[in-house]
Amino acid sequence: MASHRRPKQPSRARVTVLTTAAAAAVALSSQAANAAPNEKPSKDEVKAKVDKLYEEAEHATEKYNGAKEKQEKLQKEISTIQDNVARGQEEVNELRDGLGLMASAQYRSGGIDPSLQLFLSADPDDYLDKASTLDQLSTQQVDALKKIQEKQRELAQQRSEASEKLEDLASTRTELGKKKKEVQSKLSAAQKLLNSLTAEEKAQLAEEENRATRASERDVLSANVPAGSGRAAAAFAAAQSKIGTPYVYGATGPSSFDCSGLTQWAYAQAGVGLPRTSEAQTGAGTRIYSTSQLKVGDLVFFFNDLHHVGLYAGNGQILHAPRTGTVVRYESMNTIGGPFMFGVRV
């Protein structure tokens, strides 16, 4: 007969250990679940993320500016070509009308065989004059035909060129729309982060920026750096008159600016035409790689992709339109957020 043994019960010590471990696991799991939603980035962490987003937005802004400039250029070129085609077609129509009139005149005067016309003519001299006219009309017809052919070839080439530019324009408009969405997305993300700060934290960040700006102003006032040229001095003075003007991406003044919009506008007041984008403005003069050789009014470029530009103000300071949420102001070259690449003396 089989024996029935009672199952061995776990010891009191083992039960205690298992219970304690389970309770600890539940507690840790609960803490982890509760901690994640309540974690809030610090003010400095938010600022770092926002600065990065603004940098990316400015990079996209310069691409947007380039696409917008290309679009405007293409629109002007297409308009000019279309005007030329319209005028050319009018010329062709006039040549065809003239050819038709000549053909009608020749038919009316040359409908009878010339030898028979001469035989019937009462005045041979009169006929010879008419024959001379017929020869002249024939020459004009040949010339008119040649002109029509040349004009038609020219019009076909212009229409083809306009068609290519229209395709390029459509592509440029698509790129423009993408860059605009990219800028807006970056700015929206930055604003969302800023909204996560308390009123006190926002006030602290604003005060930090104000202190930095005041320090830069003092450094500029104490600087004794000459301007790169008379025009550079005039451009710098124009930019100074816009201190406090808000930054708006894609803006070229006079009531708002982005970085390259400010430098372009400032030099325009000095009678110098600069390209629209920061990258294009690098070719506006002589490059200067040493900060010690920079002079007031020189263009200064930052970041490896050259997406930020300002005007040198002396003592390691620049005058620029920094980013969304700021105004035209002085700032230390050390706080731009990207490396100084070189200056350009216009």
Side-chain angles (χ1 to χ4, degrees):
M1 185 174 178
S3 61
H4 296 278
R5 295 182 180 178
R6 189 177 179 182
K8 188 177 180 181
Q9 297 296 321
S11 67
R12 185 181 296 275
R14 189 180 178 204
V15 170
T16 303
V17 170
L18 290 172
T19 303
T20 304
V26 171
L28 287 173
S29 176
S30 176
Q31 287 174 6
N34 292 330
N38 294 328
E39 281 183 1
K40 181 177 180 296
S42 68
K43 169 176 66 68
D44 292 336
E45 287 173 335
V46 169
K47 184 180 185 305
K49 290 178 181 178
V50 167
D51 287 346
K52 180 63 177 174
L53 284 167
Y54 278 144
E55 179 196 331
E56 292 170 355
E58 187 177 43
H59 172 77
T61 294
E62 286 302 297
K63 296 297 182 183
Y64 166 86
N65 290 339
K68 188 175 181 182
E69 183 180 42
K70 184 179 179 182
Q71 175 186 257
E72 291 170 353
K73 182 181 178 183
L74 282 169
Q75 286 174 326
K76 288 179 181 177
E77 290 175 351
I78 290 168
S79 179
T80 299
I81 292 171
Q82 289 175 335
D83 287 345
N84 290 339
V85 167
R87 283 194 297 270
Q89 189 60 55
E90 287 179 3
E91 290 178 27
V92 168
N93 293 340
E94 288 175 3
L95 287 169
R96 281 175 174 165
D97 290 344
L99 187 60
L101 290 171
M102 283 188 282
S104 298
Q106 188 180 33
Y107 176 79
R108 286 194 302 271
S109 61
I112 301 175
D113 182 77
S115 57
L116 182 60
Q117 198 170 34
L118 178 61
F119 177 76
L120 297 173
S121 174
D123 187 351
D125 290 334
D126 179 61
Y127 168 73
L128 290 175
D129 289 340
K130 289 180 179 178
S132 175
T133 303
L134 287 172
D135 290 340
Q136 185 180 5
L137 285 172
S138 179
T139 302
Q140 288 177 346
Q141 283 180 315
V142 172
D143 289 343
L145 284 169
K146 286 181 180 178
K147 286 180 181 178
I148 289 173
Q149 288 174 335
E150 290 172 4
K151 205 67 186 176
Q152 286 177 327
R153 281 194 295 266
E154 183 182 332
L155 289 176
Q157 184 178 349
Q158 288 178 333
R159 287 191 179 104
S160 175
E161 185 181 353
S163 178
E164 290 175 3
K165 288 186 182 295
L166 283 168
E167 289 179 7
D168 196 2
L169 178 60
S171 174
T172 300
R173 281 176 172 161
T174 300
E175 181 187 358
L176 188 62
K178 287 179 180 178
K179 290 303 175 186
K180 186 174 183 179
K181 286 182 180 178
E182 185 179 347
V183 173
Q184 291 171 334
S185 174
K186 300 292 184 184
L187 295 181
S188 177
Q191 189 59 54
K192 188 175 180 180
L193 279 171
L194 288 172
N195 289 343
S196 71
L197 296 175
T198 65
E200 183 180 358
E201 288 172 327
K202 290 177 184 177
Q204 288 172 352
L205 284 178
E207 179 53 31
E208 288 171 9
E209 285 197 352
N210 288 336
R211 280 200 302 268
T213 300
R214 288 194 294 270
S216 293
E217 288 174 349
R218 287 194 297 270
D219 286 339
V220 170
L221 290 173
S222 64
N224 188 25
V225 180
S229 67
R231 287 184 172 180
F236 186 74
Q240 282 181 308
S241 73
K242 293 300 177 180
I243 289 175
T245 303
Y247 177 104
V248 174
Y249 83 89
T252 57
S255 57
S256 59
F257 300 92
D258 61 20
C259 70
S260 55
L262 175 66
T263 50
Q264 183 189 48
W265 179 88
Y267 265 94
Q269 310 317 299
V272 179
L274 292 184
R276 176 64 184 94
T277 66
S278 56
E279 185 177 1
Q281 288 178 9
T282 61
T286 304
R287 292 191 179 184
I288 302 160
Y289 292 92
S290 171
T291 55
S292 63
Q293 294 178 355
L294 290 172
K295 294 184 178 181
V296 171
D298 286 342
L299 298 174
V300 279
F301 298 88
F302 299 86
F303 298 94
N304 293 329
D305 59 6
L306 308 169
H307 72 253
H308 189 72
V309 61
L311 296 162
Y312 189 65
N315 253 4
Q317 311 298 314
I318 67 168
L319 179 55
H320 69 150
R323 54 174 171 75
T324 298
T326 64
V327 297
V328 175
R329 69 187 186 193
Y330 296 112
E331 190 169 353
S332 169
M333 293 173 68
N334 297 325
T335 61
I336 300 303
F340 165 72
M341 303 307 293
F342 52 80
V344 167
R345 185 155 300 148
V346 179

